[in-house]
Amino acid sequence: MKLQQWARRRAGQPAPQSAIELLLGGRRGSAANGYPQHWLDGVSSFYDYLDDDASERICTGTACRFARGAPAEGTPVHCLGRCYEAPVTNRERSGRIPRLSLVEQPVILRHLVEGTRPDPAGEYRALPDAATLLEAVVASGLRGRGGAGFPTGAKWRTARDTAAPDRYVVANGDEGDPGSFVDRLLLEEDPHAVLAGMLACARAIGARQGVVFIRREYPRAQAVMRDAIEWAKGFGYLGDFQVRVVSGAGSYVAGEETALLRAIEGARAEPSPKPPFPAERGLEGLPTVVQNVETLAAIPWVVERKQRADTKVVCVTGAVSRPCAVEIALGTPLSEVLERACGGAPPGRRWKMALVGGPMGRVLSAAAFSTPLSFEALPGMGHAGVHVFDDQVSARDLASHLFEFARSESCGNCAPCRIGTTQLASQKTATSLERLLTTIELGSLCGFGQGVPRPIRDLLRDFPQELLP
């Protein structure tokens, strides 16, 4: 029996707060909803963002870490989702998120580019019956935009066909990759597209409950989504589909779907072995579809148009003239994105390399900027946040930053991940470094540890003399 279920019975309450919600509310006593003190202590020691939001935090994400004039001191937070105006702190007022489209018919940003605006009611009214919904999503070939690229329709079918008294739909808004801010853009400015996508999934698989999990670093996104849910409920668009917003508490690995479910349940966000997959057994042991925010935002368009959605929003920051979120056709070369959407390199700066997909993504040298941005041409591109570096940044500095991030965000469950990410400085040869990377990759339980070696191998391939002492 899960501890939360045990606590529910002991406290005699129908729906106790999770341990994370209690801690976010400042309650740490052992009598809080029946949770034992050791459980609260274990949860509080895992998360980085359980204290008061009023404290000033310095963003140490990739864009802010390598931005000129970045502050050197302050309570660190790994990313505030404002990479386009780096360096930043959480006390500064955020400007409008720059966005544009390189495709004639944007899908994800259809309501957000110049000359358009969201139509909340239209997103819900266009949704057909369950069978038609599932057929349209399967036929579209839509793949998850959160990084894994798994076929969306196949996941929905599994959840629908798994025998259970109920099912869940979870929107994964834990956009932790430094360099990515498309989920924040959608949650804050087009929440009904996301919510309608959740409703479509719920109708297709037979779910009556939904959760929007949003990282705590996005307080405005949480407030906007709560308002959107109340608006949709007030007009009867959600029917008997009950949706709530759950706040993260500062854990990158919570973006992994099984770790995210544990966070929702109020536990430490430690990944669980698969199978079973969440679509078979997830929240409260029920079939659960976990979809990235960008994927869900595409669903109403896919269903209404009955077309393939072969676009992706790419967030570009760093050594470019115009950082922005830009919707592209999958397969567009990185060089075209940088020139057409971002205005090329700033005056007096020369490109050296780019990190695509965050700390577990890929590194491309400037000579390889003609690489198409697609799941096939660039495996591991993940959420497709792109940070461009000029020739003042060394491969060693980038590798150290990536290992520092991995070390800080490791859940600690696997020794290869927990210990291996502290060993970069001791590697003196390509052979010893590759041995370390292989150990981390093969010995880690989840995609976090398994992905740590990916960008380091790219750096070793392209900049061996810089990477090794």
Side-chain angles (χ1 to χ4, degrees):
M1 180 184 299
K2 294 180 181 178
L3 188 94
Q4 187 169 345
Q5 296 170 324
W6 169 82
R8 183 180 305 162
R9 291 187 179 182
R10 180 175 176 179
Q13 299 178 2
Q17 289 179 288
S18 75
I20 295 175
E21 291 171 322
L22 291 170
L23 292 168
L24 285 171
R27 297 176 61 187
R28 296 176 184 266
S30 60
N33 276 9
Y35 285 97
Q37 190 62 47
H38 74 270
W39 181 269
L40 295 176
D41 289 344
V43 172
S44 65
S45 66
F46 184 88
Y47 295 96
D48 293 332
Y49 215 153
L50 288 169
D51 56 353
D52 189 354
D53 272 342
S55 62
E56 183 170 13
R57 291 179 176 261
I58 305 297
C59 184
T60 60
T62 306
C64 292
R65 161 66 176 79
F66 291 97
R68 297 176 179 181
E73 297 182 357
T75 303
V77 59
H78 279 311
C79 189
L80 291 170
R82 292 164 51 198
C83 319
Y84 51 90
E85 51 189 6
V88 298
T89 75
N90 66 332
R91 285 186 175 176
E92 301 167 334
R93 182 180 297 274
S94 177
R96 180 178 184 270
I97 300 175
R99 81 296 302 266
L100 72 153
S101 175
L102 293 185
V103 295
E104 183 176 351
Q105 174 57 68
V107 177
I108 311 301
L109 302 181
R110 60 190 180 276
H111 298 142
L112 301 178
V113 294
E114 186 175 354
T116 63
R117 64 177 183 175
D119 175 17
E123 296 291 87
Y124 301 103
R125 291 171 181 162
L127 299 180
D129 61 274
T132 304
L133 277 166
L134 184 56
E135 180 183 351
V137 173
V138 172
S140 74
L142 182 66
R143 297 170 63 177
R145 295 302 194 250
F150 189 81
T152 303
K155 185 184 292 188
W156 290 20
R157 271 182 172 164
T158 298
R160 182 201 63 178
D161 295 343
T162 300
D166 201 357
R167 293 160 181 81
Y168 272 97
V169 179
V170 173
N172 184 349
D174 193 61
E175 182 180 44
D177 278 353
S180 183
F181 42 90
V182 59
D183 290 357
R184 181 180 152 236
L185 173 61
L186 292 168
L187 289 166
E188 291 184 359
E189 298 193 33
D190 201 6
H192 291 285
V194 180
L195 193 54
M198 292 182 69
L199 178 62
C201 179
R203 189 175 295 175
I205 70 174
R208 291 178 297 175
Q209 302 182 73
V211 174
V212 187
F213 186 89
I214 304 176
R215 60 199 307 254
R216 193 166 189 228
E217 293 86 342
Y218 291 177
R220 181 169 179 265
Q222 293 185 26
V224 169
M225 180 52 75
R226 288 191 175 99
D227 288 346
I229 291 171
E230 290 305 311
W231 184 92
K233 285 170 59 178
F235 282 95
Y237 291 127
L238 299 183
D240 62 354
F241 183 49
Q242 301 296 315
V243 189
R244 60 191 173 101
V245 174
V246 172
S247 174
S251 169
Y252 176 84
V253 78
E256 193 275 338
E257 58 180 3
T258 61
L260 181 145
L261 299 182
R262 287 180 60 83
I264 292 172
E265 293 172 342
R268 293 164 64 93
E270 296 170 336
S272 303
K274 294 182 286 190
F277 294 91
E280 301 165 305
R281 189 160 73 239
L283 281 179
E284 299 182 6
L286 298 172
T288 302
V289 169
V290 181
Q291 296 283 188
N292 158 263
V293 162
E294 185 179 347
T295 311
L296 290 167
I299 296 296
W301 187 94
V302 163
V303 171
E304 182 181 10
R305 300 295 186 96
K306 295 182 175 57
Q307 297 179 24
R308 296 185 65 87
D310 292 327
T311 68
K312 178 79 182 74
V313 177
V314 176
C315 298
V316 188
T317 56
V320 292
S321 296
R322 296 191 299 269
C324 64
V326 53
E327 186 161 356
I328 66 168
L330 283 167
T332 302
L334 175 58
S335 56
E336 182 178 341
V337 176
L338 299 183
E339 294 291 349
R340 289 183 58 199
C342 304
R349 301 175 70 178
R350 296 178 55 190
W351 288 332
K352 178 176 181 176
M353 57 188 170
L355 178 65
V356 183
M360 282 79 217
R362 301 295 303 274
V363 174
L364 295 175
S365 68
F369 280 7
S370 59
T371 301
L373 293 175
S374 71
F375 299 115
E376 295 78 18
L378 192 60
M381 78 170 190
H383 209 10
V386 177
H387 186 83
V388 186
F389 300 89
D390 63 20
D391 55 9
Q392 300 302 303
V393 178
S394 74
R396 183 73 175 184
D397 285 346
L398 177 55
S400 297
H401 166 69
L402 296 177
F403 260 68
E404 179 184 356
F405 178 92
R407 178 171 65 253
S408 174
E409 290 294 341
S410 172
C411 76
N413 224 9
C414 311
C417 179
R418 182 181 70 249
I419 300 173
T421 51
T422 69
Q423 302 300 309
L424 177 63
S426 63
Q427 308 309 306
K428 306 301 183 183
T429 68
T431 300
S432 66
L433 177 56
E434 178 55 43
R435 186 182 302 117
L436 172 65
L437 298 177
T438 300
T439 300
I440 296 174
E441 180 181 48
L442 298 182
S444 295
L445 173 65
C446 77
F448 178 87
Q450 294 163 8
V452 166
R454 193 178 293 127
I456 309 300
R457 283 199 174 105
D458 290 339
L459 289 170
L460 184 60
R461 178 197 63 215
D462 294 333
F463 307 100
Q465 294 181 340
E466 285 186 27
L467 184 58
L468 295 167

